[in-house]
Amino acid sequence: MRSVLEMLSGGGYVSGELMSRELGVSRAAVWKKITVLRAQGWQIESGGKRGYRLVCEDRLEPELWTGSLTTRAIGRGEVRYQEAVGSTNAEVKQMALAGAPGGSLCLCETQTAGRGRLGRRWESPAGVGLWQSVLLRPALPPQNAPLVTLCAALAMARAVEETCLLDVRIKWPNDLIFQGKKLCGILLEVGGDLDAIEYIVVGVGLNVRSGAYPPELEGKAGAIGEFTTPPHRRDILVHYLAALEDMVGRLEQQGFHGIEAEYRARSCTLGSRVQVSGSVSLTGTAEALDETGALLVRTDDGELHRVLSGDVSVRGVMGYV
Ligand code: BTN
């Protein structure tokens, strides 16, 4: 059953008569609902005979964007939207354990305990970013789970290109970079065992307007709004969900080869000099990815190293000069 908010989500005028007909309620009931929405803070203009128009703010309520979805499954399961949550990854993990279907998701305006990679915190101030996590139950062997992180990076890169016209690059494994600034981070959490993946939580944080960054990211983190006028976050979301479904489908059907060419094309790591720190420390040239998504780095002594995780700095990008 559609709602008044959903009918107004296109941003144009919709007459009270049309809403009452479509929703199967009286004109008085429509008017009452408009009054309630206004009291909740929604700005709704009355245009006489033309009806009502929602002054479309950058809000993320599902009623405003689920009607624009082009996906088969993602965004069509359980959709949880809250003003504030601890971490959308933690919420989606709970949803997964409670049996929610693949394609469910959680998004919010602010996270009070946003999680980053390598045990770090992820600052998620209210209203300035897209903080969301998607639940996947993919038909993939467990060793391919890390490749889903590359799918998410590709999907968000595509969404940002389509909606913001910014040609963002991917720094391995999954940071989105534009003009030397990190705009987006991705955190994957996998449930299951050595034989089968039970679920994957794909958490993505995209800085849309400038917010507060942790001190170690000062000068390194950035937001879309520093480079262009950002679109509504829900537009980026809808494009991202469609691209994610496409990428994960390709991975399920063709394995790594289904995403390899696009990853190479959007990568700022492959072919560059890199410094790796973490469980191993080395400097060399990033030559390729293997079938599991690991980075193959050739050091100057000619040896090829397989890097599975860690921090990678790319010469010329974010501080490595
Ligand atoms: C990184 O450190 O680069 C990864 C950051 C991932 C942040 C996102 S925001 C939505 C989701 N919920 C979390 O708690 N973390 C991820």
Side-chain angles (χ1 to χ4, degrees), residues 140 144 147 150-151 154 158 246-265 288-293:
L140 287 173
N144 276 1
L147 292 171
L150 310 186
C151 289
L154 282 167
R158 206 195 265 180
D246 176 42
M247 291 295 167
V248 174
R250 289 207 246 159
L251 184 62
E252 285 176 325
Q253 279 154 26
Q254 303 167 51
F256 175 61
H257 298 296
I259 60 168
E260 185 179 10
E262 191 165 342
Y263 191 86
R264 179 166 274 282
L289 297 185
D290 74 8
E291 303 249 321
T292 66

Side-chain angles (χ1 to χ4, degrees), residues 86-90 106 111 113-118 120-124 130-133 174-175 182 184-187 189 202-206:
S87 152
T88 56
N89 267 35
C106 173
Q111 297 184 116
R115 302 177 187 166
R117 283 179 67 224
L118 309 170
R120 294 175 187 141
R121 227 186 112 75
W122 182 262
E123 295 298 330
S124 322
L130 195 50
W131 325 126
Q132 49 82 25
S133 303
N174 53 24
D175 289 345
K182 172 169 168 171
C184 175
I186 296 168
L187 183 67
E189 296 184 50
V202 189
V204 179
L206 177 72

Side-chain angles (χ1 to χ4, degrees), residues 128 164 166 178-184 206-213 217-231:
V128 299
C164 312
L166 296 184
F178 187 74
Q179 292 186 5
K181 297 264 184 89
K182 172 169 168 171
L183 304 184
C184 175
L206 177 72
N207 300 327
V208 179
R209 277 178 284 277
S210 301
Y213 305 118
L217 281 183
E218 262 324 311
K220 293 184 174 178
I224 286 168
E226 292 167 31
F227 305 102
T228 187
T229 306

Side-chain angles (χ1 to χ4, degrees), residues 151-193:
C151 289
L154 282 167
M156 191 50 95
R158 206 195 265 180
V160 169
E161 182 181 285
E162 288 170 350
T163 57
C164 312
L165 307 179
L166 296 184
D167 182 18
V168 286
R169 307 272 100 200
I170 303 172
K171 185 167 80 68
W172 186 87
N174 53 24
D175 289 345
L176 292 199
I177 308 289
F178 187 74
Q179 292 186 5
K181 297 264 184 89
K182 172 169 168 171
L183 304 184
C184 175
I186 296 168
L187 183 67
L188 210 72
E189 296 184 50
V190 183
D193 54 35

Side-chain angles (χ1 to χ4, degrees), residues 41-167:
W42 295 93
Q43 201 184 329
I44 298 173
E45 288 177 359
S46 303
K49 283 214 174 87
R50 286 182 297 169
Y52 302 96
R53 187 177 85 87
L54 178 68
V55 178
C56 262
E57 299 157 47
D58 186 13
R59 302 267 298 248
L60 291 170
E61 278 80 352
E63 294 94 319
L64 297 179
W65 54 267
T66 47
S68 309
L69 282 173
T70 57
T71 50
R72 188 184 47 78
I74 296 186
R76 305 205 184 260
E78 186 183 331
V79 175
R80 190 176 287 183
Y81 166 77
Q82 271 165 243
E83 202 66 29
V85 300
S87 152
T88 56
N89 267 35
E91 290 283 316
V92 169
K93 188 172 172 185
Q94 275 178 10
M95 288 159 68
L97 295 174
S104 298
L105 62 90
C106 173
L107 75 167
C108 65
E109 294 296 340
T110 180
Q111 297 184 116
T112 51
R115 302 177 187 166
R117 283 179 67 224
L118 309 170
R120 294 175 187 141
R121 227 186 112 75
W122 182 262
E123 295 298 330
S124 322
V128 299
L130 195 50
W131 325 126
Q132 49 82 25
S133 303
V134 172
L135 169 62
L136 298 176
R137 297 192 186 274
L140 287 173
Q143 67 272 19
N144 276 1
L147 292 171
V148 174
T149 225
L150 310 186
C151 289
L154 282 167
M156 191 50 95
R158 206 195 265 180
V160 169
E161 182 181 285
E162 288 170 350
T163 57
C164 312
L165 307 179
L166 296 184
D167 182 18

